[in-house]
Amino acid sequence: MNRTKRIISVLAVMLIAAAVGFAGGGQEGAAPGAQAAARQQVELLGAGASFPAPLMTAWADDYRDLTNGRVTVNYQSIGSGGGIRQFLEQTIMFGATEANLNDQQMADAERATGGLAFNMPITLGDVVLTYNVPGVETGLVFSPDTIAGAFLGQITRWNDPAIAELNPGVNLPNLPIQIAHRSDGSGTTNIFTNYLTKVSTEWADRVGFGSSVNWPTGTGGNGNEGVAAIVQSTPGALGYNSLVYAVLNDISFGNVVNRSGNIIEPSLQATSLAAAVQIPPDGRVLLTDTEAAQGYPIAGFAWALVYENLDQNDAIGTRLEAEELVRFLYYIVSEGQEINESLSFARLPDDAQELAVEMISSLTWQGEVIGADIIADVRANGF
Amino acid sequence: MSERLTASQASSAAQLPARYREPGDRVFRIVVSSLASGIILLAVAMAVVIFLEAAPTFRAMGFLSFLTETTWDPVRAVHGALPFIIGTLISSFAALAIAALPALGVAIFVAEYAPKWLASMINYLVDLLAAIPSVVIGLWGIFNFAPLMRDRFYLPIYLWAIEEAEWLIPIIGAPTTFNLTTSTLILALMIVPYTVALARDAIGQVPLEQREACWALGSTRWEVMRMAVLPYARTGIVAGLLLSLARALGETMAVAMLIGNSNRVPFTLFGPAATMPSIIVNEFREAVEPLHYSSIMAVGLYLFFVTISVNIIASWIQRRLSMSKGAV
């Protein structure tokens, strides 16, 4: 009995040794080829907002094909706040966010790296008012005052004269308005509350804007899907969602009177038009309540975050990685924009695109400007 | 101290039979004791890290005023934990109160009254209920339970109260689909299987002699239950209830999905509220401002304290009950 056991264990040990030997041999044999490939292959590490994550994934796939598998992009959708924090802690090569860096964060980044932190526009986010009013179709008209009044809890019924006046011919029921808002911190909330802050002084005094705010009224749902669930299950609900989400889930959404007095129906084009304004050189502009006559007023950029001095970012180890990052960023704002609308994301308008290219051109590695040369190289030879 | 320790170790080593002093035995003891102390270290390290992360908030707000402040406004950088503490305590204790009696009833029925085939079926279903992920229960709550409750209970009760009982309005509030009551009922549903399973086991462990003695005295079935079985199983049942309470305190997903997430106190029964786990899961990801981030950590620290105190109270009650058990 004991003997059989011993024989079995000896056999097992021999088998394991043989397996290890084979594996080792295999590795040795493959090593030269793998190393040659490794010299070329680069993984770019990014993280941040969940809103542009589907687009980022599509860009990454497209770009990997474009470069024959040379560059893979690993983007982690951890939220704008997480993206900003990891970017400032230099654990990622680029961040993505729906809320731009504030002055304090810009100053911190400058002190840490000796150069600017760029807020580079990559796409636009739009927020629509979603509602569930029995007997009322999509396309109800809202003005800045009615939106602010409803979310402040001052306009409490759907047949309020302020709403009825904007919607002649619509049979509005005498139903209480039930506000639905995001309970999780989100860039969508940032854009929406920033809009309310601009159009209503009372909102600005009482609530203000941010990715989480102290809501005067209403029920909170987690994520776009949480707000949508409240709106869909509650007659009389009024909430806000990103346009893509409302369209895909067939939720009624309203048109909004913009600053120029035009009634704007939410669309990707109207969102792109919102950016038809003067954009400051650092890219930090909130497009809400836009001055553009045909622009949809509740929209904002999503940005990629990148350090001007790439070598100062601890997450970037080699010049090769920095160069590949520059190429990918250029791809995002040039060829990558072609796939935006097929995924229901707004395209960057020309001005914003030019600004982004300008930012990429001025990226440096150890004091040497590498961005402009790489862009010239890409334009001549492809990615 | 160390002297006495080594002395006692030496004496115990001397008393052990030779085969327990083999190297393998010693290695095993080292492995086991390092694993065990690892758990203690882990808990302490967790508390320390959370405290350090939360420290900026305590410096800015004060340890006690953070506890009593009722505003949670990340924009104005005013943070207070009281709404979430209230929300957590109300929903958990109410859920426990709702779940306790029915769960005890099921446990008694399964252990004493049900025929074997029915008991095994009920046991199987109860275990199944415990295995449903909370996010699935939350989804069911969003799409079925909450709208049903609103149409059948909240709205009719509210409309009745407007007409007949004006004084109720401040307590129940204007009904929303997702509110304190909805999440409390779902919490109760989620802790029932735990309470049932633990109470059932406690009742099952009551010795047969105990029951037989009571039968022999001519007791009815209910009297056996009341006088012989329940007092004996009391410790186990109470421990089970407290374990269920601990689960209710920490339950995150289903509550965050159904409670309506409003930070404004006073909460109303049919209005939205928030709990400590729900605010953490909601706002942690996007907390950019340092004070906002550390305030969420501070809420986490309070949650840590609340859970630990419940556990300490639990073991205290258990000890008291098991000491008096001898008299039964």
Side-chain angles (χ1 to χ4, degrees):
Chain A
M1 185 67 194
N2 235 341
R3 210 190 150 106
T4 2
K5 256 190 195 165
R6 198 164 292 167
I7 290 171
I8 288 173
S9 59
V10 166
L11 274 175
V13 167
M14 274 167 69
L15 258 175
I16 291 169
V20 169
F22 272 118
Q27 266 171 2
E28 262 167 48
Q35 262 175 6
R39 219 174 288 136
Q40 295 294 324
Q41 272 177 358
V42 173
E43 188 184 5
L44 300 177
L45 188 64
S50 46
F51 161 71
L55 186 56
M56 199 62 93
T57 313
W59 281 334
D61 285 350
D62 190 38
Y63 192 66
R64 197 181 50 231
D65 293 346
L66 212 59
T67 59
N68 295 319
R70 191 184 75 228
V71 181
T72 46
V73 179
N74 175 0
Y75 180 77
Q76 290 162 2
S77 156
I78 56 171
S80 296
I84 290 177
R85 204 175 308 125
Q86 295 218 2
F87 175 72
L88 293 175
E89 283 168 9
Q90 306 191 355
T91 54
I92 48 175
M93 299 181 187
F94 66 96
T97 172
E98 276 187 283
N100 54 291
L101 296 181
N102 62 29
D103 293 339
Q104 177 67 40
Q105 288 159 339
M106 290 291 276
D108 287 348
E110 193 159 352
R111 207 175 317 116
T113 65
L116 292 172
F118 285 137
N119 295 255
M120 190 186 93
I122 52 174
T123 182
L124 295 106
D126 33 27
V127 182
V128 296
L129 290 151
T130 47
Y131 54 83
N132 175 355
V133 187
V136 177
E137 301 287 300
T138 205
L140 202 63
V141 178
F142 293 92
S143 70
D145 289 341
T146 54
I147 301 172
F151 277 84
L152 279 167
Q154 290 160 349
I155 296 178
T156 54
R157 300 211 156 246
W158 280 101
N159 61 353
D160 191 281
I163 302 177
E165 198 184 321
L166 291 161
N167 296 283
V170 179
N171 186 16
L172 291 161
N174 180 16
L175 198 67
I177 297 179
Q178 302 238 18
I179 295 297
H181 57 75
R182 291 281 288 267
S183 61
D184 52 329
S186 86
T188 310
T189 301
N190 191 47
I191 292 175
F192 185 65
T193 52
N194 182 264
Y195 171 74
L196 290 176
T197 302
K198 281 187 183 169
V199 298
S200 158
T201 46
E202 190 178 352
W203 183 275
D205 289 342
R206 277 179 55 188
V207 187
F209 73 95
S211 54
S212 306
V213 302
N214 192 12
W215 293 96
T217 178
T219 310
N222 195 331
N224 259 313
E225 60 280 12
V227 174
I230 298 176
V231 171
Q232 285 173 319
S233 68
T234 312
L238 171 66
Y240 61 92
N241 284 95
S242 59
L243 172 62
V244 192
Y245 202 85
V247 171
L248 289 180
N249 291 281
D250 205 18
I251 310 172
S252 306
F253 55 89
N255 303 344
V256 180
V257 179
N258 75 0
R259 194 163 169 162
S260 313
N262 297 321
I263 296 172
I264 306 295
E265 188 188 339
S267 68
L268 296 176
Q269 289 73 29
T271 303
S272 291
L273 283 172
V277 292
Q278 194 71 37
I279 305 171
D282 62 3
R284 295 189 301 155
V285 61
L286 290 162
L287 301 173
T288 49
D289 197 26
T290 179
E291 284 169 4
Q294 295 303 323
Y296 180 70
I298 321 178
F301 279 128
W303 292 272
L305 300 172
V306 61
Y307 289 109
E308 183 182 15
N309 295 332
L310 293 170
D311 55 291
Q312 294 295 315
N313 184 347
D314 291 341
I316 303 178
T318 62
R319 177 165 179 152
L320 179 74
E321 281 176 349
E323 286 177 357
E324 293 293 3
L325 175 62
V326 173
R327 280 171 198 271
F328 177 63
L329 290 175
Y330 181 64
Y331 160 81
I332 287 183
V333 299
S334 58
E335 227 168 282
Q337 294 293 316
E338 305 294 332
I339 57 177
N340 284 20
E341 291 194 347
S342 65
L343 288 165
S344 300
F345 281 86
R347 270 182 82 106
L348 281 183
D350 293 345
D351 285 356
Q353 212 169 340
E354 268 166 40
L355 173 75
V357 172
E358 222 167 275
M359 286 177 175
I360 298 169
S361 303
S362 60
L363 293 174
T364 71
W365 179 261
Q366 292 177 347
E368 180 194 339
V369 178
I370 57 171
D373 291 345
I374 291 174
I375 290 179
D377 179 49
V378 169
R379 279 181 180 157
N381 306 320
F383 286 100
Chain B
M1 180 68 200
S2 65
E3 249 174 56
R4 205 191 304 160
L5 206 67
T6 46
S8 73
Q9 271 173 346
S11 67
S12 67
Q15 282 159 9
L16 284 172
R19 51 181 298 212
Y20 289 138
R21 277 177 276 145
E22 274 183 34
D25 195 56
R26 268 187 218 153
V27 170
F28 182 70
R29 201 173 77 185
I30 292 168
V31 169
V32 174
S33 51
S34 58
L35 283 175
S37 51
I39 291 204
I40 299 172
L41 281 179
L42 199 65
V44 172
M46 232 146 58
V48 168
V49 168
I50 296 176
F51 179 77
L52 289 180
E53 295 273 345
T57 293
F58 294 135
R59 265 200 298 277
M61 303 282 304
F63 198 81
L64 275 180
S65 46
F66 180 70
L67 191 71
T68 54
E69 171 65 54
T70 55
T71 309
W72 180 271
D73 187 344
V75 180
R76 311 243 180 290
V78 179
H79 298 280
L82 193 61
F84 313 115
I85 295 174
I86 295 175
T88 302
L89 293 180
I90 291 181
S91 60
S92 306
F93 278 94
L96 185 67
I98 294 169
L101 276 182
L104 198 57
V106 172
I108 292 174
F109 178 75
V110 167
E112 300 290 324
Y113 288 79
K116 215 160 194 175
W117 61 271
L118 187 59
S120 68
M121 208 156 87
I122 293 176
N123 285 343
Y124 177 73
L125 289 174
V126 164
D127 293 349
L128 203 69
L129 198 59
I132 300 176
S134 64
V135 70
V136 174
I137 293 189
L139 278 178
W140 172 74
I142 285 182
F143 290 108
N144 295 85
F145 184 70
L148 179 90
M149 289 299 286
R150 182 198 57 216
D151 296 341
R152 293 286 152 81
F153 291 96
Y154 308 151
L155 274 177
I157 292 176
Y158 179 69
L159 293 177
W160 169 82
I162 288 178
E163 303 275 322
E164 309 281 334
E166 197 102 7
W167 56 272
L168 257 178
I169 298 293
I171 302 170
I172 60 177
T176 54
T177 311
F178 304 105
N179 59 35
L180 192 58
T181 308
T182 309
S183 67
T184 304
L185 290 175
I186 290 288
L187 257 186
L189 178 73
M190 290 176 73
I191 62 177
V192 159
Y194 291 82
T195 321
V196 170
L198 291 162
R200 184 183 69 204
D201 292 350
I203 292 172
Q205 275 170 8
V206 175
L208 201 56
E209 294 84 347
Q210 187 99 358
R211 297 159 206 251
E212 281 171 350
C214 211
W215 286 117
L217 289 175
S219 307
T220 63
R221 212 168 191 185
W222 167 240
E223 280 168 341
V224 172
M225 201 67 220
R226 190 165 54 90
M227 297 192 304
V229 177
L230 284 185
Y232 198 95
R234 189 169 56 185
T235 324
I237 292 172
V238 171
L241 287 177
L242 287 159
L243 273 176
S244 308
L245 178 65
R247 178 173 156 84
L249 286 170
E251 175 50 45
T252 310
M253 247 6 260
V255 172
M257 289 163 90
L258 294 170
I259 203 166
N261 302 302
S262 164
N263 315 339
R264 294 188 173 261
V265 280
F267 297 139
T268 53
L269 284 182
F270 294 168
T275 66
M276 290 193 267
S278 78
I279 189 77
I280 296 174
V281 75
N282 274 320
E283 295 197 358
F284 184 75
R285 247 166 32 120
E286 293 281 340
V288 185
E289 298 296 326
L291 195 67
H292 188 191
Y293 174 84
S294 69
S295 299
I296 290 170
M297 282 293 185
V299 173
L301 188 69
Y302 282 156
L303 182 59
F304 199 86
F305 285 151
V306 168
T307 339
I308 284 181
S309 4
V310 166
N311 276 319
I312 290 175
I313 295 171
S315 59
W316 179 74
I317 292 179
Q318 214 175 341
R319 211 157 12 161
R320 266 184 62 101
L321 287 181
S322 53
M323 269 194 288
S324 61
K325 197 173 68 184
V328 172

